[in-house]
Amino acid sequence: MLRLAIIQLLFLAVLPGCQRSAVRAASSPAAATPVAEKPAMVFLSFRAVAAGAGQAARITLLSSQAAPGRLKPQPATPPSAFPEYLAVKLLDAAGQPLGEAIVLEHPLRKTVEYTNEKQQLGQRLVSLPEAEFFVRLAPPAQATQVRVEEFADATLLAASSFPL
């Protein structure tokens, strides 16, 4: 019984000191510093529609949505990874590129794996009449537009620009 009373007294004696420390920490200059604005990401959804053999696809912007957050660092994909690909670039008001382009496999031409009649793994190029795709970007403040460039065998077929 006496032990319990001593523990309670010690607890009550220590608790006010802890509370004062917490109050001092909350009122310190570091706590009064405003929180920096969170970096923003932009999610862009596109639709690509095949125009015919040897012609560039028609690419349209479906939606653009900004959200707070950061992009995870990802290794850059070299254009040589795909025979046909899209390059997405951010542009400033003067139309000058900002940073590196994002390279992605052409959404209308996909390389798929399959097993043949001998149960061996093979690859086949599949052409789609239309497809939707999306891109996540972390645009700098001076970015005003995004450009989607379509390439086949490292040759630029077409480019389309959209406002951010």
Side-chain angles (χ1 to χ4, degrees), residues 16 26 48 51 105 108 124 146:
E105 183 178 20
L108 297 177
R124 179 176 293 154
V146 63

Side-chain angles (χ1 to χ4, degrees), residues 10-25:
L10 286 174
F11 180 73
L12 292 175
V14 173
L15 183 62
C18 292
Q19 290 173 341
R20 274 185 256 128
S21 298
V23 170
R24 273 194 301 263

Side-chain angles (χ1 to χ4, degrees), residues 6 10 13 23 33 40-41 43 45 71-72 74 77-78 80 94 103 114 121 124-125 127 129 160:
I6 293 172
L10 286 174
V23 170
T33 305
M41 295 189 315
F43 297 88
S45 295
L71 291 178
K72 296 177 185 174
Q74 295 183 357
T77 305
S80 61
V103 175
Y114 69 99
L121 191 61
R124 179 176 293 154
L125 183 66
S127 295
S160 303

Side-chain angles (χ1 to χ4, degrees), residues 58-81:
R58 289 188 319 265
I59 297 175
T60 55
L61 178 65
L62 297 176
S63 68
S64 172
Q65 183 176 4
R70 291 181 200 257
L71 291 178
K72 296 177 185 174
Q74 295 183 357
T77 305
S80 61

Side-chain angles (χ1 to χ4, degrees), residues 89-96 98 139-147 161-164:
K89 298 178 180 180
L90 289 168
L91 306 175
D92 63 12
Q96 296 302 310
L98 300 169
Q142 64 268 33
T144 61
Q145 54 186 321
V146 63
R147 171 172 288 179
S161 294
F162 307 97
L164 280 178

Side-chain angles (χ1 to χ4, degrees), residues 48-58 108-109 128-129 150:
V49 178
Q55 295 181 348
R58 289 188 319 265
L108 297 177
R109 292 158 197 74
L128 303 171
E150 183 178 6

